[in-house]
Amino acid sequence: MPEPTKKDETPNGQPEGVAPVSNGPPPLPEISLEVSPPQDDDPAPTAPSPTPQAEDANSPKKLSIELPNDSVPAMGRKDSVWSLGEGQPPEELEKPIDTPPLSTLLIEKPQSATVSVGGDVTFIAKVEGKDLLRKPTVKWFKGKWMDLASKTGKHLQLKETFDRLSKVHTFEMHIIKAKENYAGNYRCEVNYKDKFDSCSFDLEVQESEQGSQSIDIRSAFKRSEGQEDAGELDFSGLLKHREIKPDDTPEIDVWEILKNARPDEYEKIAFMYGITDLRGLLRRMKKIPKEEKKSEAFAKKLEPAYQVDKGSKIRLVVDLADPTVDLKWYKNGQEIRPTPNQRKYIFEHKGTQRIMVINNCTLNDDAAYSVAAGDEKCSTELFVKELPVKVVKGIEPVKTTVNERIELECEVSEEGAQVKWMKNGVEVPTGVRSRYRVKCEGTKHYLVIDDASREDTGTYSIMATGGTSEAHIQVDLKPLKVYQDLQNMTVMLGQPIKLQCEIYPGNVPGRWYRNGQLIQPNDRINIIHRNRVHRLEIEASSLHDAGDYTFVPEGYSQSLSAKLHIIDPPKVHLDSLNFPDNTMTIVAGNKLRLEIPISGEPAPRVVWMKGERVILESGHRVRAETYGDQTSLTIDVTEREDSGNYKIVLQNEAGEASASVKIKVVDIPDPPDAPLVPEVGGDWCSMTWEVPKYDGGSPILGYYIERKKKQSSRWMRLNFDLIKETSFEPKKMIEGVPYEVRIFAVNAIGVSKPSEPSKAFTPLAVTSEPTMLVVDDVTDTTVTVKWRPPETIGAAGLDGYLVEYCIEGTDDWIVSNNELTEKTKHTITGLTPGTKILVRVKAINAAGASAPRTIQHSVLVKEVIEPPKIRVPRHLKQTYTRRVGEAVNLVVPFMGKPRPKVTWLKEGKVVDSSDVSIRNTDCDSIIFIRKAERSHSGKYEMTVHVDNHVDTAIIDIQIVDLPGPPQSVTIEDVWGGNVALVWTPPKDNGNAPIIGYTIQKADKKTMEWYTCIEHYHRTCITITELVVGNEYFFRIFAENMCGLSEKATQTKKSALIVKEGLQVKTHEFEDHDFKEAPMFTQPLINTFAIAGYNATLNCSVRANPRPKVMWMKNKIAIIDDPRYRMFSNQGVCTLEIRKPSPYDGGMYTCKAINDLGEAQVDCKLEVKGGFTFYELMQRGVPLHLIDQYMSETKTVEQEK
């Protein structure tokens, strides 16, 4: 497979095969064309195109040839198909191409065919149309995107037919008088809504083979000098034009001479006949004996090399033998894909020719190009010729000072040429944040430095492809004259500071620095510049203000400096210690480090003294240290002798200071003596001890107690709170295990060492008595008791229980169980009936028997009769309902002793055991019916007997079923579009109440039933909105809790809805007399109201005709009083009292009157909360009423 050609480079950057010449003409590049035998092509049109592979030195054969200037092929036809393309990056080539999902539509696909030039061929595609609602869309394409619908004519015809019997769409494409360029890959696409199908096929057009042209070997392998009649494959003349020299060499067949000569004579023959490209000749000689296999994909391949001037365009042309093969173009191994937005690469199709046009060639287009058709490739190289850019006007040297603007100018021979600006041999950075700016105006190029500094001094140069220019730039500082320099100062801490200098010129700004840090003005620091004077003022000096001050004028080489020294008298800051009376307490044996802050500038000299003894910094155990702003006294291991007063003395050039501190060394107390254990219990003991002989200089706060098992080494603390006393009782010890105890004394300093352990002691005890001893059962000869285990079981464990009893009145306890029992229940047997006994239980372990647990009262040995009691479940206290066919399973618990006797009766008769299953236990009775029937309904009576005691319970069981249909349905009357129906309830209600009816109607013509109404409760109804002229039948279903009846009762006769004009017989009815005297259906109710909040009185009255309603208060009619509002709506009468006062309380009456009589109701209204005399006057109450209200209020208060 042919590989894309690449330019091999030697280490010195020149193409392979060209010797570097320093003064001679530029070397001629060698173009390598690789040819290898073609491999078997895959005929499938959908196979992916091969990717470029690495060179193989064994398979391809190289031929060095030269190309003429006119190697660019001619332009094509005007009707050729164009597409735009641009090279894609490698990452885009690796992305998969999304293809739509295919669904099978084609039942017959077009097949590949072969036709000779001038012949006809037809391609057929068939689509199944049974499931298609309309004709599918079919498109024919050649290659990837050429739609053949626009190419129909005398050479191409498209035809569509549809067979109505088989429902198959047939699509045909006829090619008439085929030409050579008709060969290639074709595609048929079918679309229907969201379905898609396609098929690719090939057309091969056979043609006669053409003979290859012969090449003149001497002209092909001779380095030409640019003459016009150079060899056909010569390209060296394109690189440099030389003078034309006549060639008088006679026509000689050099190929025959080389074929007959030995290989060691090739160089001699080549020199003799003027062949300078010996390596290309040798490669060509290797190819002569081998017959090159004809390419199956390319009829004409790319030329070995092309050359184009920069800015021009070039056409790369190949002729395909098989136009159906997918074609891909590569640049340096990267595929070039078409993009619609770029016109860099243009692709043309002219029959079998495939053309790629490269517009506006640049140096980036100088590369190796290849084209892949199926599995075959052909390659070429494109050389872009660029004229060198020369420097027409060079840059000039510049000498300036800082903060000035520098502009370097250079002019080149070509407009828009690329140049490089260099500084001292290094390229000048021209980014966004760079100090350098580069601009171009036509052929002129500028390098601008806006704010020059001394670092910009150097040699600057500009580089173009045809020359360079350089110049030197010198940036110097500006001169400065000083009239008054800065003076060194010494200032007391807190005093103001003024630093001043005077320079010329006076308008020069400057910056102040302290220890190299820029000083910014603020509330404390003020910077003043007046004419030639520059002054720095600080209101109150601080220690941070000390340092080296520098004033730097902008743009000048000279700077002014001075030193500022801050002094401060020494001070000892004991307040920060927070020690009472400057006394520090330390525990003996600990390390003491007492740090005391000090101040003073310069740093004062510090001396520590105890009495008359000076503490040195080089001390071993006690030493003094001073660093920074604090001094410290260190005692590695404190002792009692270290207690006392310590004095600190500070001295510096600003003064002297002293202070003293007191150190108190305390210690932990001595351990107490070994404790004594005078008394030991089952899980406890008592212990005492004496106070320690030495308390460590601090009062004893309490004691800690620890214990451990004698055989263990792990001590356990018994108290977490200090014990003030000298005695303690440890508890929760394990019996049978020897223990030891010890004591710790505690003071404010810490905990003492432990005391000596006490003598070992061993606690051991019996268990506690059993609990909850009760009588479980009593018979004529036995008594059963039960109990619970003891609350406390000692270390000896629990071996069992011993049960004893005695007859009441004696003290002779008899053991009931000869062997210990581990159970907590025991039955005493062999007792005499009628006797009374006492029972007690003991817990036994290795330590002995526990205290006995005795029953409080004597037990009579006689079986106790417990009257029977039936406990009917809640859901059985009401009717128990089940449907026919369901299972009935009822459990009824009961109580009684001895075992009660249970009987079941139904309606006074014994329940049949073959129909109803009954099972009785000691505590309940179960009645079970596997499949309920309606005959099982009824009241079941359960009777429980214990001797002469009886208890009964009745359980009502109801088995329900679907009801029967109504007995009869008749049409009572028909008028207009209405029908009146009347029916009788069903004979069989399914053992459940009828809860409604469902009425349906049916037209006599269709007899299709429609529901008119459901869940209707009455037995008569009027069906409305019937269609005039239709005749209807009606049927009715009965409904109970189980559902609708299985059958319905239908009317025997139909109801005909007569049309207009017909007379309907109407019945005469006598009007009912609805007149009645007034009667209150809801009386008034006594009401309490809150003063100031609206109150309402309500009642309801019934009367016909409508009565007249009157409201009265205390038998006086309420008329036109704005404080009252009266309402009457649908017989409901309402009286609203707006913001009542205690005066509004009283007896209210509502009276209703009509022609037939009258009625009245009364109620009492009491208003809580009252008004003052002034408030009643404001409300407009008459004086006599206010007097009456005030007297009533006093009377009520006196009664209360």
Side-chain angles (χ1 to χ4, degrees), residues 783 805-810 831-839 857-862:
V783 174
Y805 69 95
C806 72
I807 299 174
E808 187 179 15
T810 65
L831 300 176
T832 304
T835 61
K836 293 183 179 181
I837 63 172
L838 295 174
V839 183
H857 304 285
S858 61
V859 181
L860 178 63
V861 183
K862 183 180 180 180

Side-chain angles (χ1 to χ4, degrees), residues 704-901:
Y704 286 122
I705 295 92
E706 289 185 350
R707 78 178 181 203
K708 76 174 182 69
K709 298 176 183 178
K710 185 176 180 181
Q711 66 274 17
S712 174
S713 61
R714 180 175 174 269
W715 290 90
M716 181 179 68
R717 179 162 293 182
L718 301 182
N719 63 312
F720 294 97
D721 296 331
L722 292 176
I723 297 174
K724 308 295 183 181
E725 298 81 9
T726 57
S727 63
F728 185 68
E729 289 188 0
K731 297 181 179 180
K732 296 183 180 180
M733 291 186 287
I734 303 174
E735 296 85 351
V737 178
Y739 284 91
E740 293 178 348
V741 292
R742 66 181 183 181
I743 311 297
F744 292 86
V746 181
N747 63 1
I749 308 306
V751 182
S752 69
K753 295 181 180 180
S755 67
E756 292 295 329
S758 66
K759 294 182 180 180
F761 59 93
T762 302
L764 188 63
V766 297
T767 64
S768 63
E769 59 186 9
T771 59
M772 300 181 65
L773 176 62
V774 295
V775 177
D776 187 46
D777 193 13
V778 180
T779 65
D780 291 339
T781 59
T782 63
V783 174
T784 302
V785 294
K786 60 181 180 179
W787 62 92
R788 299 197 66 179
E791 294 181 355
T792 304
I793 298 176
L798 179 62
D799 297 336
Y801 300 95
L802 184 65
V803 182
E804 298 176 337
Y805 69 95
C806 72
I807 299 174
E808 187 179 15
T810 65
D811 294 334
D812 187 10
W813 289 94
I814 303 172
V815 178
S816 176
N817 54 328
N818 296 326
E819 296 182 358
L820 296 178
T821 177
E822 296 181 357
K823 299 180 180 179
T824 58
K825 186 176 183 181
H826 180 71
T827 302
I828 304 173
T829 60
L831 300 176
T832 304
T835 61
K836 293 183 179 181
I837 63 172
L838 295 174
V839 183
R840 69 182 184 183
V841 179
K842 297 180 180 179
I844 309 298
N845 67 356
S850 68
R853 171 68 70 177
T854 307
I855 294 179
Q856 296 180 357
H857 304 285
S858 61
V859 181
L860 178 63
V861 183
K862 183 180 180 180
E863 188 169 9
V864 179
I865 296 176
E866 182 180 346
K869 178 65 177 178
I870 301 175
R871 298 186 178 275
V872 180
R874 181 177 297 180
H875 69 282
L876 296 180
K877 291 182 179 180
Q878 54 189 0
T879 302
Y880 183 76
T881 306
R882 280 291 181 269
R883 294 189 179 185
V884 174
E886 295 182 349
V888 177
N889 187 12
L890 305 179
V891 179
V892 183
F894 56 83
M895 300 174 60
K897 281 188 179 183
R899 179 174 178 174
K901 182 180 178 182

Side-chain angles (χ1 to χ4, degrees), residues 30 126 165 267 418 557 623 719 793 889 970 1033 1175:
E30 179 190 61
K126 293 185 179 180
L165 298 178
E267 185 177 359
Q418 297 292 331
S557 59
R623 60 186 178 275
N719 63 312
I793 298 176
N889 187 12
T970 59
F1033 284 95
E1175 291 175 344

Side-chain angles (χ1 to χ4, degrees), residues 82 92 126 615 700 948:
W82 292 73
E92 296 185 5
K126 293 185 179 180
I615 301 174
I700 299 296
N948 296 329

Side-chain angles (χ1 to χ4, degrees), residues 380-393:
T380 187
E381 286 200 56
L382 176 62
F383 294 90
V384 179
K385 186 178 179 181
E386 182 183 19
L387 297 177
V389 178
K390 298 181 180 179
V391 178
V392 178
K393 180 182 178 183

Side-chain angles (χ1 to χ4, degrees), residues 484-492 494-502 512 514 519 524-528 530 533-542 545-547 549-551 561-566:
Q484 180 182 350
D485 200 352
L486 295 177
Q487 303 296 327
N488 296 334
M489 295 181 64
T490 299
V491 181
M492 188 70 72
Q495 297 299 320
I497 301 172
K498 291 184 179 181
L499 294 175
Q500 180 174 321
C501 64
E502 186 177 353
W512 290 87
R514 179 177 62 242
I519 299 175
R524 196 173 63 89
I525 300 175
N526 188 18
I527 297 177
I528 301 173
R530 293 177 181 174
V533 177
H534 294 264
R535 184 165 60 250
L536 174 66
E537 296 181 353
I538 301 176
E539 292 182 359
S541 62
S542 63
D545 295 330
Y549 284 77
T550 305
F551 176 74
S561 300
K563 288 186 177 182
L564 177 62
H565 184 50
I566 306 295

Side-chain angles (χ1 to χ4, degrees), residues 439-509:
K439 62 180 181 179
C440 177
E441 297 177 358
T443 59
K444 293 184 179 181
H445 294 261
Y446 300 90
L447 176 65
V448 181
I449 305 174
D450 290 325
D451 189 6
S453 64
R454 296 194 63 183
E455 291 77 9
D456 295 328
T457 301
T459 301
Y460 289 77
S461 61
I462 184 170
M463 296 180 61
T465 57
T468 61
S469 175
E470 66 179 24
H472 184 76
I473 294 179
Q474 180 65 38
V475 180
D476 297 326
L477 294 173
K478 299 177 182 179
L480 181 69
K481 187 175 183 179
V482 179
Y483 290 110
Q484 180 182 350
D485 200 352
L486 295 177
Q487 303 296 327
N488 296 334
M489 295 181 64
T490 299
V491 181
M492 188 70 72
L493 181 66
Q495 297 299 320
I497 301 172
K498 291 184 179 181
L499 294 175
Q500 180 174 321
C501 64
E502 186 177 353
I503 61 174
Y504 179 82
N507 58 350
V508 176

